[in-house]
Amino acid sequence: APDQPSAPPAIASQSGGCGVAGGRMTDTRRRVKVYTLNEDRQWDDRGTGHVSSCYVERLKGMSLLVRAESDGSLLLESKINPNTAYQKQQDTLIVWSEAENYDLALSFQEKAGCDEIWEKICQVQGKDPSVDITQDLVDESEEERFDDMSSPGLELPSCELSRLEEIAELVASSLPSPLRREKLALALENEGYIKKLLEIFHVCEDLENIEGLHHLYEIIKGIFLLNRTALFEVMFSEECIMDVIGCLEYDPSLSQSRKHREFLTKTAKFKEVIPISDPELKQKIHQTYRVQYIQDMVLPTPSVFEENMLSTLHSFIFFNKVEIVGMLQEDEKFLTDLFAQLTDEATDEEKRQELVNFLKEFCAFSQTLQPQNRDAFFKTLSNMGILPALEVILGMDDAQVRSAATDIFSYLVEYNPSMVREFVMQEAQQNDDDILLINLIIEHMICDTDPELGGAVLLMGLLRTLVDPENMLATANKTEKTEFLGFFYKHCMHVLTAPLLANTTEDKPSKDDFQTAQLLALILELLTFCVEHHTYHIKNYIINKDILRRVLVLMASKHAFLALCALRFKRKIIGLKDEFYNRYIMKSFLFEPVVKAFLNNGSRYNLMNSAIIEMFEFIRVEDIKSLTAHVIENYWKALEDVDYVQTFKGLKLRFEQQRERQDNPKLDSMRSILRNHRYRRDARTLEDEEEMWFNTDEDDMEDGEAVVPPSDKPKNDEDIMDPISKFMERKKLKESEEKEVLLKTNLSGRQSPSFKLSFSSGTKSNLTSQSSASNLPGSPGSPGSPGSPGSPGSVSKSTSQMAAITTKGGLVGLVDYPDDDEEDDEDEDKEETLPLSKKAKLESS
C-alpha cells in the first residue's frame, strides 16, 4: 500500500533468523515477533512470543493474543476489527494499523503459522484467505467503490506488441487506487504476464521499435510501484532480472538509452576473495547486487508521492542481506580461510586489500541484523580472531588497507567497547607498547595526511568511546574502569600526548601550521574529556608531567581555535575546584600565559576576551580563596585598569576581605554569631567547622602533603561581612598602606619574568620593601629589584618557591613559620606593627 513503510525484519527461518530458543516450544508455527512502527517510519522490535486467536470478553470479539516466550507476559492483545485493513506480506508478515499513527506487525517464524492466523482474520472479516489485503486502504467515493466491486477481477489486454500502449495506460490508471492496484497485481501474477512482456521486449529491441520500448519502460516502472513481493520474486529471478533492467534503459525522458546491462555484465566483476562453494549463496549475492543497482542507479528518484510505493523493494534488499550474513556466518571454513589469508605475510597487497574490503562490507551488512543476531555475528568474528587480525593489518604500509581496517575497528568499538578493552589489556602482557592495537590507532590519528583530518576525527571519537567510564562495566570482583584506565595511562597516554609535548618546548608552539593546530585541538579535546571523567588518573598525569604548563604554551598560537582549546582545558581544571590542581597552578604561575593572552588581545570584544573573563568570574563567584589571592598578589597590576567589567575589582574585594579576616580573627567570631542568629542556617554549621579546620591546619602542611579541601565553601560570607563597621574602619586605616604595597606587586611572580609589559615586574615576595616612592620595583636601583643582590626583596629560589606555594587560610604567598604554630596570633599582631622593610627582611631570611 502507498502509505505503508518497509516491512519489519522477519523472524522467518532464514539463515540469520533467530530460530527456536533452545527448543523450549515444540510448536514453532505460532512463534512470532511483534513490531510497532516508530515516528521515523522504522520498525521497533517489541519482543518474541507465541500468537493465538480467541474470543476476549473484555473486547467483545475475536482477538489476536501474543504471550512472551520468556515469561508469559502479554505482548499484544488486539481485537480483529471487521473494518481494519490487514495485509499479508512475503508469506510470513501480517501488517495492520491499530490507530491513525500506530502500525503493528506480526513476523512469523513459519509460513504455516502465518497462513493459519491469516485465515482467522479473513474469517472474521468475511474475506477469501487468498487475498493479501482485506480492506481498501483509502476511502473512495461510493460510486468508485461500486464500480470496482462490480467486476470480480481485472481483465488484462492480450500481451501483444500492438497493445503495449493500452497496457501502459491501464497500469498508469490503476496506480492511484489501492483496490485497482491489488487487482492488477493479482492479474499480473496469475497470468504469468511479466514473462510475456519481457518476450515482447526482445522483439522490440530486435526491431529497434523505440516507441514500444518506451511503453515497456512505463509498464515495468508501474509494476515496481505496485509494491508487491510476489511480482519482485518473478522480476528478480535469474531468468528475468537482466531483461527487466533492459526495459528500464529506455526512459522516454532521455534522448539516449542507458547502458546498464553492459555495465553489469562487462564492467562490474564479481570477485570471490575466498571461493564460495554454496551455489544458493552465490546466486543470492548476485541478485542482491543487481537489485541494489536497480534501486540506486536504474529507477528514477521517486517523487514524494511514490516514495512509500517502493517500500517492499527496500525490504527485499534488506532481507537478502540478512540471509547473506547468516549464510556466511555459518560457513566456518570460509571465515577460517578469510582470517588466515588476512594475517599471512605471504599474501600479496592486492589480495589483502580485497580481503579487507570484503570484511568491511561484511561488517556493514551486519547492521541490518536484529540485536540478538548482531550479538552472535560479532561474537563469531571475535572467536575467529578479528582483533589480532586488525592489529596486523594496521601495522602495514598500505594506506587503503589501513583505512578499511579502521572502518572495521569502528564497527567493533561501537558495538562492544568492552570486548576491545579486554583484548588490548590482555595483549599488553605479551607485546611492547609500540605495537598495541590502541597505540596503532593513536598513531594513525596523529599521522592522518588528510588536510581536514577526517580520519583523525573518526579515530578520536573511537578513543573517546573506549576511555568513557559511562560505558564501562562494573562487577562484584572486577572494575573495568580501574583496570582499563590504569592500563591506558601507563601504556597509551604518552603516545597520545607526544605531539603536544613535542610542540610546546619553547614559549610558543614550534609548529603552528593549520593541520598541526587541528591535531593538537583534537588531542586537547580528548584530554579535557579525561579531566572531567577520569579524576585521579588524569590528575596525577597532569601534575607529574607538567601538562597544563605545556598546554598553555598554545595560548600563543596564531590560530584562535587552538588557543581557546588550551583555555578550555584550564577552565575545566579550575572548574573542579580541586586544591591539588590549585596548588600546582600557583606553584608554576600558570595564570601568566592567560594574562598575557588577555593583554595581547587588547580591547577587542571577542571569544578570547569573554572566555578569559568568564574564568576569572568563576573564581570570584565560587570564592576559590587560594586562586583569588594568587591572582591579585601576582597579576593585579596588569588587571587593575580593566573597568568595563567588575570581575577584577570584585576579585580584589574578595582578596581584601580574606586579608581582613586573617588580620582580625575577632571578625570571624562576629560573623559566626551573625550567621547563627540573624542568618540562621543549621545546615551550614558543619561548613564553619570545615572552614576553621582549613584555615588553621593547612599551615602545617608540607608542599607534597595531601590537602582535603572542604566539599562546600560558603559563597556569601564576605557579602554578609561587608556592612560591619569594624571592617570598614580597619579598611580605611590600612587603605593607603595596602595601596602602596599592591602597586609594587609583581606580575609574573618569577625572578626572571618571561614576558615584558608596559610596567615592570618584581620579585616573588608579595610584600616588597620600598625606600622611596620614586624607586620602581623593576628598576635596577630599587631595593625590590631582582638585580640588586642583598636587597630585602631578593630571595633565594628555594625560599621564594616556598613562599609562593605555602598557604595560610587560603592565601598564597604568606611566609610559613613551622616552628611557631602555637604563637600564630601573636606573630600576626607583631607583623602588623613592623615596618615594611623589616617584613621583607623576614621573608628573605
Side-chain angles (χ1 to χ4, degrees):
D3 58 347
Q4 289 296 320
S6 60
I11 194 175
S13 55
Q14 304 165 336
S15 301
C18 62
V20 182
R24 291 167 57 188
M25 296 292 292
T26 54
D27 181 11
T28 60
R29 288 181 305 164
R30 298 289 188 91
R31 191 164 184 263
V32 295
K33 273 190 175 296
V34 180
Y35 291 93
T36 58
L37 195 68
N38 61 29
E39 294 177 355
D40 299 325
R41 309 291 289 170
Q42 299 295 320
W43 290 102
D44 292 333
D45 185 354
R46 295 300 184 189
T48 304
H50 290 81
V51 65
S52 61
S53 61
C54 60
Y55 185 84
V56 176
E57 183 66 32
R58 184 174 60 82
L59 299 177
K60 304 294 183 187
M62 291 295 291
S63 304
L64 297 175
L65 303 179
V66 179
R67 294 196 176 276
E69 65 180 359
S70 56
D71 56 6
S73 61
L74 201 60
L75 294 177
L76 175 70
E77 184 180 60
S78 173
K79 180 182 176 182
I80 302 173
N81 194 314
N83 299 319
T84 297
Y86 290 84
Q87 279 185 289
K88 186 167 75 165
Q89 298 178 8
Q90 303 178 40
D91 294 332
T92 57
L93 285 170
I94 297 177
V95 183
W96 73 98
S97 294
E98 192 83 353
E100 186 176 348
N101 291 314
Y102 187 64
D103 287 11
L104 286 161
L106 294 180
S107 176
F108 289 78
Q109 180 166 325
E110 294 185 6
K111 179 179 182 299
C114 183
D115 291 342
E116 194 175 328
I117 295 299
W118 183 249
E119 286 179 15
K120 296 282 187 184
I121 293 170
C122 291
Q123 184 180 343
V124 171
Q125 293 201 343
K127 304 290 181 183
D128 188 331
S130 64
V131 300
D132 282 352
I133 181 168
T134 62
Q135 300 287 337
D136 194 348
L137 290 177
V138 178
D139 291 333
E140 298 174 300
S141 68
E142 289 300 322
E143 291 180 9
E144 186 179 3
R145 186 184 297 273
F146 179 78
D147 290 343
D148 285 337
M149 296 304 293
S150 61
S151 57
L154 187 68
E155 190 174 339
L156 292 170
S158 58
C159 196
E160 298 173 6
L161 180 58
S162 58
R163 304 191 71 177
L164 284 178
E165 184 175 1
E166 185 183 345
I167 298 168
E169 288 176 359
L170 176 64
V171 171
S173 64
S174 300
L175 289 175
S177 166
L179 190 57
R180 286 178 186 167
R181 283 173 38 222
E182 179 73 21
K183 291 180 177 180
L184 174 61
L186 284 171
L188 290 169
E189 187 179 339
N190 295 335
E191 298 180 23
Y193 210 79
I194 293 174
K195 291 185 179 180
K196 296 176 185 176
L197 286 170
L198 296 178
E199 289 172 7
I200 296 177
F201 166 70
H202 286 291
V203 174
C204 287
E205 270 206 320
D206 293 341
L207 298 174
E208 296 184 358
N209 184 342
I210 301 300
E211 185 181 357
L213 291 169
H214 285 170
H215 289 315
L216 281 166
Y217 171 89
E218 298 292 351
I219 294 167
I220 296 296
K221 179 189 169 189
I223 294 174
F224 268 96
L225 295 177
L226 291 176
N227 211 27
R228 183 87 170 192
T229 306
L231 297 178
F232 287 157
E233 286 173 355
V234 175
M235 295 164 72
F236 299 152
S237 65
E238 190 77 19
E239 179 185 356
C240 298
I241 189 166
M242 295 307 287
D243 290 339
V244 168
I245 293 171
C247 290
L248 293 172
E249 289 180 353
Y250 294 95
D251 186 346
S253 63
L254 301 176
S255 58
Q256 193 173 348
S257 63
R258 299 288 181 87
K259 304 293 183 186
H260 297 303
R261 285 171 296 173
E262 184 179 326
F263 172 82
L264 288 171
T265 54
K266 296 180 180 177
T267 308
K269 298 295 183 184
F270 177 64
K271 291 184 178 179
E272 289 185 78
V273 290
I274 303 290
I276 296 173
S277 54
D278 186 347
E280 184 186 351
L281 173 58
K282 196 179 295 189
Q283 189 273 331
K284 188 71 70 176
I285 292 171
H286 282 297
Q287 184 189 58
T288 305
Y289 176 79
R290 289 166 179 168
V291 176
Q292 186 89 57
Y293 182 82
I294 290 172
Q295 183 190 44
D296 296 340
M297 304 299 298
V298 181
L299 285 175
T301 304
S303 67
V304 176
F305 303 104
E306 295 174 338
E307 192 168 359
N308 284 329
M309 300 173 91
L310 292 172
S311 59
T312 308
L313 179 63
H314 300 315
S315 297
F316 190 95
I317 296 169
F318 175 89
F319 287 117
N320 266 18
K321 289 181 177 179
V322 169
E323 223 171 324
I324 290 167
V325 172
M327 289 179 173
L328 288 171
Q329 186 181 331
E330 291 168 4
D331 191 338
E332 287 191 16
K333 182 179 184 305
F334 179 88
L335 290 178
T336 304
D337 291 348
L338 173 67
F339 284 105
Q341 292 190 36
L342 264 176
T343 54
D344 189 353
E345 293 182 2
T347 305
D348 63 75
E349 288 188 9
E350 186 177 351
K351 176 71 170 177
R352 196 186 312 276
Q353 187 174 336
E354 290 173 356
L355 291 165
V356 174
N357 286 335
F358 169 81
L359 186 56
K360 174 185 168 182
E361 192 172 358
F362 190 35
C363 291
F365 270 28
S366 73
Q367 302 307 297
T368 62
L369 297 174
Q370 288 296 301
Q372 66 270 27
N373 294 337
R374 200 179 306 139
D375 287 349
F377 172 81
F378 281 111
K379 193 170 183 180
T380 300
L381 291 186
S382 178
N383 293 338
M384 288 289 175
I386 189 169
L387 285 166
L390 284 179
E391 196 170 47
V392 172
I393 298 165
L394 286 167
M396 295 177 178
D397 296 330
D398 192 323
Q400 287 183 313
V401 169
R402 290 202 312 266
S403 175
T406 301
D407 291 337
I408 297 167
F409 183 71
S410 70
Y411 284 119
L412 296 171
V413 171
E414 288 167 13
Y415 161 71
N416 191 345
S418 292
M419 178 180 76
V420 179
R421 292 189 199 106
E422 186 177 357
F423 169 76
V424 295
M425 284 192 288
Q426 287 176 352
E427 65 164 350
Q429 300 169 6
Q430 303 157 0
N431 298 335
D432 296 334
D433 286 1
D434 294 344
I435 58 172
L436 294 181
L437 177 60
I438 198 165
N439 284 346
L440 290 171
I441 293 294
I442 295 172
E443 285 171 17
H444 290 322
M445 181 196 78
I446 292 170
C447 301
D448 188 6
T449 55
D450 179 8
E452 296 298 323
L453 294 186
V457 172
L458 168 67
L459 293 173
M460 182 59 72
L462 298 178
L463 285 174
R464 181 168 173 158
T465 302
L466 286 174
V467 301
D468 187 354
E470 294 297 320
N471 60 45
M472 294 183 184
L473 305 174
T475 57
N477 57 352
K478 170 182 165 185
T479 304
E480 187 180 18
K481 177 179 175 181
T482 304
E483 289 187 4
F484 181 75
L485 292 184
F487 156 82
F488 183 79
Y489 280 88
K490 181 178 179 181
H491 297 280
C492 309
M493 185 58 97
H494 65 280
V495 183
L496 178 67
T497 55
L500 172 67
L501 297 176
N503 211 36
T504 54
T505 54
E506 305 296 332
D507 290 339
K508 60 181 183 179
S510 52
K511 281 181 69 179
D512 205 18
D513 58 278
F514 180 72
Q515 192 164 354
T516 302
Q518 271 193 308
L519 175 63
L520 294 179
L522 278 176
I523 294 171
L524 279 179
E525 185 181 335
L526 186 60
L527 290 177
T528 305
F529 177 84
C530 294
V531 166
E532 185 175 2
H533 293 91
H534 290 178
T535 60
Y536 67 91
H537 291 93
I538 188 70
K539 186 194 301 181
N540 291 339
Y541 190 80
I542 288 174
I543 294 175
N544 291 336
K545 303 292 185 183
D546 200 13
I547 295 294
L548 180 55
R549 183 176 65 81
R550 304 294 282 273
V551 167
L552 291 175
V553 169
L554 302 176
M555 293 285 292
S557 171
K558 66 183 180 184
H559 300 284
F561 71 87
L562 181 57
L564 286 165
C565 280
L567 183 64
R568 191 182 306 121
F569 179 71
K570 180 172 183 177
R571 173 65 178 80
K572 184 66 72 177
I573 288 174
I574 290 175
L576 297 175
K577 297 190 285 187
D578 186 311
E579 203 59 30
F580 286 105
Y581 276 130
N582 293 347
R583 285 173 175 268
Y584 162 61
I585 289 170
M586 294 183 294
K587 180 178 179 180
S588 301
F589 294 89
L590 295 180
F591 277 101
E592 181 178 302
V594 178
V595 173
K596 182 176 180 181
F598 182 68
L599 297 176
N600 288 342
N601 191 63
S603 59
R604 284 177 292 175
Y605 177 50
N606 54 17
L607 192 54
M608 178 64 73
N609 174 276
S610 299
I612 293 175
I613 290 174
E614 189 278 334
M615 184 172 72
F616 285 111
E617 181 68 13
F618 176 82
I619 294 170
R620 185 192 72 79
V621 170
E622 295 296 323
D623 193 16
I624 305 176
K625 294 178 173 59
S626 54
L627 295 184
T628 300
H630 177 76
V631 169
I632 296 302
E633 289 174 351
N634 293 285
Y635 308 105
W636 171 245
K637 182 66 177 175
L639 303 171
E640 65 177 335
D641 293 333
V642 179
D643 55 5
Y644 52 86
V645 289
Q646 296 303 306
T647 296
F648 301 109
K649 286 182 169 53
L651 272 176
K652 179 71 158 44
L653 180 60
R654 290 278 197 199
F655 172 71
E656 290 172 347
Q657 290 169 344
Q658 288 172 217
R659 290 286 295 271
E660 189 63 29
R661 286 169 50 204
Q662 277 193 322
D663 293 344
N664 191 349
K666 291 179 182 178
L667 288 178
D668 274 342
S669 60
M670 184 183 297
R671 184 185 57 216
S672 178
I673 292 168
L674 280 172
R675 187 162 59 217
N676 290 337
H677 296 281
R678 185 176 173 187
Y679 300 100
R680 186 170 187 82
R681 295 182 185 174
D682 293 340
R684 297 182 63 174
T685 305
L686 182 60
E687 293 179 3
D688 292 334
E689 296 172 5
E690 288 177 341
E691 187 173 338
M692 287 172 62
W693 177 87
F694 186 76
N695 288 342
T696 55
D697 288 358
E698 194 178 68
D699 251 356
D700 303 330
M701 296 293 183
E702 295 294 335
D703 291 348
E705 289 182 7
V707 176
V708 182
S711 59
D712 248 342
K713 296 176 186 157
K715 295 182 176 60
N716 298 314
D717 291 349
E718 283 72 23
D719 298 333
I720 296 168
M721 289 300 299
D722 193 59
I724 298 175
S725 57
K726 276 194 174 185
F727 171 76
M728 297 303 294
E729 290 171 8
R730 185 142 191 90
K731 184 179 176 187
K732 288 177 184 176
L733 288 172
K734 292 190 65 180
E735 191 173 35
S736 57
E737 178 184 340
E738 287 189 345
K739 185 175 181 182
E740 182 182 359
V741 172
L742 288 167
L743 283 172
K744 309 302 178 289
T745 303
N746 64 324
L747 167 70
S748 68
R750 300 173 186 263
Q751 290 184 350
S752 301
S754 61
F755 64 95
K756 303 220 180 272
L757 300 164
S758 58
F759 50 89
S760 302
S761 58
T763 66
K764 284 186 180 177
S765 58
N766 56 307
L767 299 174
T768 309
S769 66
Q770 175 107 2
S771 59
S772 67
S774 60
N775 283 337
L776 295 174
S779 60
S782 66
S785 168
S788 52
S791 67
S794 61
V795 291
S796 67
K797 185 174 182 181
S798 60
T799 307
S800 61
Q801 285 181 344
M802 186 69 179
I805 63 172
T806 304
T807 62
K808 188 176 184 66
L811 284 173
V812 175
L814 296 177
V815 179
D816 188 16
Y817 298 94
D819 299 326
D820 298 323
D821 285 286
E822 68 280 1
E823 299 176 8
D824 277 348
D825 295 339
E826 184 182 343
D827 288 345
E828 285 177 14
D829 291 339
K830 286 181 182 178
E831 194 176 36
E832 287 294 327
T833 58
L834 284 173
L836 289 175
S837 59
K838 289 186 179 180
K839 289 183 187 179
K841 285 178 181 178
L842 283 172
E843 289 178 356
S844 58
S845 60

